[in-house]
Amino acid sequence: MSRKIAFIASRSEVAQKALSMLSRRYGHAAPDEADVVVALGGDGHMLHTLHKTQKLRAPVYGMNCGTIGFLMNAYREDDLLERLDAAEQEDINPLSMQATRADGTIETHLAINEVSLLRQGPQAAKLSIQVDGRLRLEELVCDGALVATPAGSTAYNYSAHGPILPIGADVLALTAVAAFRPRRWRGALLPKTVRVRFDVREAEKRPVMADADGHSVRDVVSVEVMSEPRVTHSILFDPGHGLQERLIQEQFV
């Protein structure tokens, strides 16, 4: 099957070399004319590519030219067309973050992995947490907290001792980062349909920043997070190496 392929490479020397070789061999279409987008780089570049192409019809197939490559397939120059024909598609929805600063300005960003709140200074953050308008935790003293999607549950969420979520599970992980009070609180599993609101207590004394896949907002006083079903990212994986398999495998290492 003939395919129009758009290659999008990170700035690394390895990725740029791969871009040159693959473009010569398979041709190079504009992203808005392509049948498939091939991202060359690591996981960070894959997230960037998914955000950049979210309004296009073409799915994204990643080839690892980075370090971990959790969202990527193995890099090979040969048989790319055959691999694309055999690839399995997984669709995921991002999170929407609405962050309100102390000056009243609001920023909205999408996050494929997680939305996180982190202390800006030397003192611990103090957060209150509401779920669908109901106060669930009056005061969380911590280095931060995050809401993660299943696709992002093995990233920052996992390093903060949050749970790994199966792809297709209609749940989100709410995870504390270095919780001090309540000391034993490690988070919650929430339905995908909920709206989570964080309010920053003592914001001037204990400033907090919010981040959505690298889009950072400083000096926030409140942050609302919810799944965004109107946006779908389509990712292609080699058979037997999709997100579901990787999420299971990650729990046995």
Side-chain angles (χ1 to χ4, degrees):
M1 178 180 176
S2 177
R3 289 178 181 264
K4 294 181 179 179
I5 304 173
F7 294 99
I8 300 179
S10 71
R11 296 181 180 180
S12 74
E13 183 178 347
V14 173
Q16 289 296 314
K17 182 178 179 180
L19 172 64
S20 178
M21 290 189 296
L22 293 170
S23 296
R24 288 198 302 269
R25 183 163 183 174
Y26 298 102
H28 184 31
D32 59 355
E33 297 177 353
D35 299 309
V36 62
V37 173
V38 174
L40 304 170
D43 285 332
H45 177 66
M46 183 63 163
L47 292 176
H48 174 76
T49 301
L50 289 171
H51 284 297
K52 184 177 180 180
T53 62
Q54 71 182 39
K55 295 183 180 179
L56 303 181
R57 62 181 178 84
V60 179
Y61 179 89
M63 296 182 75
N64 190 23
C65 297
T67 306
I68 299 175
F70 185 81
L71 295 173
M72 316 300 278
N73 299 285
Y75 176 81
R76 292 201 306 269
E77 185 178 347
D78 296 331
D79 69 5
L80 177 58
L81 295 179
E82 291 78 5
R83 292 173 75 185
L84 292 176
D85 287 341
E88 299 171 350
Q89 181 170 311
E90 300 200 29
D91 296 329
I92 59 174
N93 302 117
L95 298 171
S96 174
M97 175 187 81
Q98 181 175 290
T100 303
R101 291 194 184 92
D103 62 6
T105 57
I106 298 174
E107 283 196 32
T108 301
H109 296 287
L110 296 178
I112 295 167
N113 272 0
E114 76 278 320
V115 171
S116 57
L117 283 78
L118 300 168
R119 68 178 190 177
Q120 284 180 206
Q123 291 187 301
K126 286 187 176 182
L127 308 173
S128 67
I129 302 175
Q130 297 180 41
V131 178
D132 283 342
R134 182 175 177 181
L135 183 63
R136 292 292 184 177
L137 195 55
E138 186 172 354
E139 183 175 274
L140 172 64
V141 183
C142 57
D143 280 355
L146 60 90
V147 178
T149 66
S153 63
T154 60
Y156 189 17
N157 172 70
Y158 191 40
S159 68
H161 306 290
I164 292 179
L165 306 177
I167 290 296
D170 290 330
V171 295
L172 303 173
L174 170 58
T175 301
V177 179
F180 181 68
R181 289 288 187 275
R183 189 178 296 275
R184 295 184 180 180
W185 191 78
R186 290 296 180 266
L189 293 177
L190 302 173
K192 184 179 178 180
T193 55
V194 302
R195 180 186 294 266
V196 180
R197 178 185 171 100
F198 299 93
D199 286 291
V200 180
R201 309 184 69 175
E202 303 176 27
E204 290 188 8
K205 181 181 179 182
R206 303 170 185 270
V208 169
M209 64 172 286
D211 185 273
D213 282 358
H215 294 283
S216 297
V217 184
R218 296 180 65 84
D219 299 312
V220 298
V221 293
S222 68
V223 176
E224 293 193 1
V225 184
M226 62 183 298
S227 183
E228 180 48 89
R230 295 173 296 181
V231 178
T232 299
H233 298 286
S234 298
I235 311 176
L236 298 177
F237 291 98
D238 291 334
H241 296 278
L243 278 178
Q244 188 78 285
E245 168 60 25
R246 295 176 190 216
L247 290 170
I248 294 173
Q249 181 180 357
E250 195 71 18
Q251 298 175 80
F252 290 90
V253 296

